[in-house]
């Protein structure tokens, strides 16, 4: 079992819809969780961080964390074609200082 | 805030050349920086963890004598690809984390696209 798992996609949604991206992790003591967006040919950029159970909203993005289920998700409301990218889930374990990345989910938003 | 500068952005050179890539944290201090490699349409692969003032920690399968890492200060890490060959052609990306602790995210540089002819 991979430490951080994501469906590779592609996840295709129509413009204006809600895109839901999911991530599960195996280390129960993980404490910090991040979502990065990576456009093709570019480096990842941080879009959300979440540390406690529940929802965290930032503009059109909402991160959701459920530590009991070891599950973190990212919702993108009113999806735009410019949101088309690969979204990486990253998890920090309680010990050490290295993030563990999932393989990423490719999102395609169709006009 | 939290800007990481990586230079150069693109390198094209002949086989056998050594290439140095710099990674700087511009507005924060980073005890630890990370070097990744990404081949087309593939996931990020961590190559090594660069520690200020000490030796880098390399991931399994990464040759430490080929990929030399130096982390001379809290704001600068360098990766040197020695005697590069065409199979070393890839997208190299560095990242850094603020000293603030393990809850801090990693911030990425813009990457270096290396092409070995």
């Amino acid at each position: 079992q991979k430490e951080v798992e994501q469906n590779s996609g592609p996840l295709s949604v129509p413009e204006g819809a809600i895109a839901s991206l999911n991530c599960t992790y195996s280390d129960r003591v993980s404490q910090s969780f991040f979502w990065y967006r990576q456009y093709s040919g570019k480096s990842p950029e941080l879009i959300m961080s979440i540390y406690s159970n529940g929802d965290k909203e930032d503009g059109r993005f909402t991160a959701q964390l459920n530590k009991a289920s070891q599950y973190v998700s990212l919702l993108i409301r009113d999806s735009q074609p410019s949101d088309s990218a690969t979204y990486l889930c990253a998890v920090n374990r309680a010990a050490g200082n290295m993030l563990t990345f999932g393989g990423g989910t490719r999102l395609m938003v169709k006009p | 805030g939290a800007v990481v500068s990586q230079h150069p952005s693109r390198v094209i050179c002949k086989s056998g050349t050594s290439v140095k890539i710099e990674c700087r944290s511009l507005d924060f201090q980073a005890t630890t920086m990370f070097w990744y490699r990404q081949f087309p349409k593939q996931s990020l692969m961590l190559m090594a963890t660069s520690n200020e003032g000490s030796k880098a920690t390399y991931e399994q399968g990464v040759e430490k004598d080929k990929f030399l890492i130096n982390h001379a200060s809290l704001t600068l890490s360098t990766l040197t690809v020695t005697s590069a060959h065409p199979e070393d052609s890839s997208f190299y990306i560095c990242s850094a984390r603020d000293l603030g602790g393990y809850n801090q995210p990693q911030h990425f540089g813009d990457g270096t696209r290396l092409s070995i002819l």
Side-chain angles (χ1 to χ4, degrees):
Chain A
Q1 181 189 10
K2 291 182 181 177
E3 293 182 44
V4 180
E5 292 209 55
Q6 296 180 255
N7 188 315
S8 61
L11 172 66
S12 182
V13 300
E15 183 174 358
I18 296 175
S20 178
L21 303 160
N22 304 316
C23 173
T24 58
Y25 59 94
S26 61
D27 191 339
R28 186 168 289 277
V29 298
S30 298
Q31 294 197 5
S32 47
F33 308 85
F34 307 94
W35 283 98
Y36 289 82
R37 177 176 61 200
Q38 185 176 24
Y39 290 113
S40 181
K42 303 293 185 182
S43 65
E45 59 177 318
L46 179 70
I47 54 173
M48 288 287 284
S49 58
I50 188 166
Y51 306 100
S52 54
N53 281 328
D55 294 1
K56 179 182 177 182
E57 187 175 316
D58 183 0
R60 294 187 296 113
F61 298 101
T62 299
Q64 299 175 317
L65 175 61
N66 184 325
K67 290 187 178 180
S69 300
Q70 295 173 237
Y71 177 94
V72 58
S73 64
L74 179 70
L75 301 179
I76 306 175
R77 288 183 298 282
D78 187 23
S79 295
Q80 301 297 309
S82 58
D83 295 325
S84 298
T86 296
Y87 289 80
L88 302 168
C89 171
V91 175
N92 191 77
R93 295 148 76 177
N97 60 0
M98 185 179 72
L99 289 182
T100 302
F101 286 86
T105 298
R106 190 158 75 95
L107 173 66
M108 296 172 58
V109 181
K110 298 192 172 180
Chain B
V3 177
V4 176
S5 173
Q6 187 172 343
H7 178 80
S9 59
R10 185 171 183 94
V11 179
I12 302 173
C13 58
K14 294 180 179 179
S15 184
T17 306
S18 292
V19 177
K20 180 188 274 190
I21 303 170
E22 289 190 351
C23 181
R24 293 180 186 273
S25 56
L26 296 186
D27 52 359
F28 66 99
Q29 293 183 323
T31 307
T32 305
M33 294 185 176
F34 306 90
W35 287 96
Y36 295 84
R37 179 167 56 181
Q38 188 174 38
F39 293 105
K41 299 189 187 298
Q42 294 190 21
S43 305
L44 284 175
M45 288 176 47
L46 179 67
M47 298 176 64
T49 302
S50 170
N51 304 298
E52 187 266 338
S54 64
K55 291 183 179 180
T57 303
Y58 289 83
E59 294 301 299
Q60 192 172 7
V62 177
E63 299 175 56
K64 62 180 181 181
D65 294 329
K66 181 166 186 65
F67 299 99
L68 301 179
I69 291 173
N70 183 274
H71 194 150
S73 75
L74 287 173
T75 59
L76 173 63
S77 175
T78 60
L79 168 69
T80 301
V81 184
T82 62
S83 187
H85 293 286
E87 58 267 28
D88 298 321
S89 298
S90 188
F91 189 42
Y92 292 84
I93 315 172
C94 73
S95 72
R97 166 176 279 165
D98 198 302
L99 281 179
Y102 62 76
N103 274 344
Q104 298 297 314
Q106 286 175 212
H107 300 281
F108 287 86
D110 288 338
T112 298
R113 194 161 301 281
L114 177 62
S115 299
I116 308 297
L117 306 177

